Amino acid sequence: MVIYGLIATTALLAVCMITMVMLMVRVRWLTKKMTLISAEIEKVKKDQAEALSGSYGMGQRMIKLEKRLKVFVDAPPPEPIDDTPFSYSQAAQMIAQGADVEAIAATCGLSHSEAHLMRKLCAEGFVES
């Protein structure tokens, strides 16, 4: 009987040793896994801080742009500008009065070619005098 008790105790001790070895392997694996996860968490925290910083900076830029835009929105609209240069409108009036190309070029600061072109455009009705 003592032998059976000794064999049973030895078997139980072997099972406990195998279980302990398996638990130690599992603990090492979990420790490595935990280290990797901790490193990933730190990386995510760093990325989150950078994104937050970028968002904050972009928000500040948006506020500045809104302030600059408000100046333009609140400003009165500009006066309409006559897009016809003075020299061309003056040349058209002179052509309507019968002035020659030399006089138009000298008075309006146009070249002879421009004065001839203006005369043709007025004759064709493309330019109002």
Side-chain angles (χ1 to χ4, degrees):
M1 273 294 176
V2 176
I3 294 182
Y4 290 121
L6 189 57
I7 292 174
T9 304
T10 306
L12 183 62
L13 184 61
V15 167
C16 287
M17 293 281 283
I18 291 171
T19 304
M20 190 171 82
V21 168
M22 289 174 59
L23 286 174
M24 287 176 59
V25 168
R26 181 78 173 161
V27 165
R28 283 185 184 159
W29 181 81
L30 288 173
T31 303
K32 286 180 182 178
K33 192 75 167 169
M34 188 176 72
T35 303
L36 291 173
I37 290 173
S38 293
E40 284 188 38
I41 288 173
E42 289 303 315
K43 183 181 181 307
V44 168
K45 283 181 181 179
K46 181 182 173 188
D47 291 347
Q48 181 185 24
E50 287 176 4
L52 182 62
S53 174
S55 296
Y56 179 76
M58 186 58 71
Q60 293 298 319
R61 288 188 201 112
M62 291 292 289
I63 290 170
K64 287 179 184 177
L65 285 173
E66 286 175 352
K67 287 179 181 178
R68 289 176 60 190
L69 181 62
K70 187 170 178 9
V71 170
F72 291 113
V73 169
D74 293 343
E79 294 290 323
I81 299 172
D82 182 18
D83 58 351
T84 307
F86 175 72
S87 59
Y88 291 117
S89 58
Q90 186 181 11
Q93 288 176 353
M94 289 178 71
I95 290 168
Q97 294 171 357
D100 65 338
V101 173
E102 297 294 326
I104 295 169
T107 305
C108 300
L110 302 175
S111 68
H112 286 13
S113 301
E114 288 176 311
H116 278 290
L117 179 61
M118 281 294 296
R119 180 171 246 175
K120 282 191 173 201
L121 291 174
C122 287
E124 296 286 329
F126 289 113
V127 176
E128 294 181 14
S129 46

